[in-house]
Amino acid sequence: MKRQFFVVCMLLLSLFSWEGTYAKVADSKHIILIGREHSGRPRSIAPVQAWLDETGVYVAFYVPVDKATVRIIDQTGAVVEETEAVAPETLRLALPEAGSYTIEILYEDMFYYGTFDSVDPTL
């Protein structure tokens, strides 16, 4: 009986949270991150996620992090945006001008990177 009650509660909770999840996905673009520990071992599941929308680039951390550095780098290798944060949960960086970029996320012994294209929001 307890298990059935738990399952029903979880189903109801997922139905009520679906609208918010759909809204985020509908107007944002997920950035695929590739991760490595500094030891060189690849990570299959990333405890960090990045996405962009028409207002900025976002990074969410799903594990506690003491300090993190996030960089956005253009095609020439120049850093166009960099931020360091202590105990971040979600960071927002300014959306760069139209072009192709790489995002780097560094914390503890982890390094994640991914590429994305920024488009002019007026088009």
Side-chain angles (χ1 to χ4, degrees):
M1 183 70 176
K2 288 182 182 180
R3 182 176 177 174
Q4 291 173 339
F5 179 73
F6 177 75
V7 170
V8 169
C9 287
M10 294 306 292
L11 287 172
L12 289 174
L13 180 64
S14 67
L15 289 175
F16 288 119
S17 65
W18 176 258
E19 185 177 334
T21 304
Y22 178 74
K24 177 186 164 261
V25 172
D27 62 354
S28 64
K29 181 180 177 189
H30 182 74
I31 300 171
I32 297 173
L33 296 175
I34 299 168
R36 292 205 178 276
E37 294 180 8
H38 286 299
S39 64
R41 291 186 8 214
R43 284 292 302 245
S44 58
I45 299 175
V48 62
Q49 181 182 12
W51 69 94
L52 69 133
D53 64 15
E54 65 275 352
T55 62
V57 178
Y58 299 86
V59 178
F61 296 88
Y62 299 118
V63 295
V65 174
D66 291 331
K67 180 181 173 186
T69 302
V70 179
R71 293 185 193 111
I72 297 178
I73 302 168
D74 66 12
Q75 289 180 323
T76 65
V79 175
V80 295
E81 182 81 23
E82 180 172 3
T83 186
E84 288 188 12
V86 176
E89 289 182 11
T90 302
L91 297 174
R92 181 187 176 280
L93 289 86
L95 188 65
E97 296 178 0
S100 295
Y101 296 90
T102 299
I103 186 168
E104 293 182 347
I105 303 163
L106 299 97
Y107 68 91
E108 297 169 0
D109 66 339
M110 300 304 301
F111 172 72
Y112 294 93
Y113 66 95
T115 59
F116 66 94
D117 293 324
S118 178
V119 295
D120 186 353
T122 60
L123 294 178

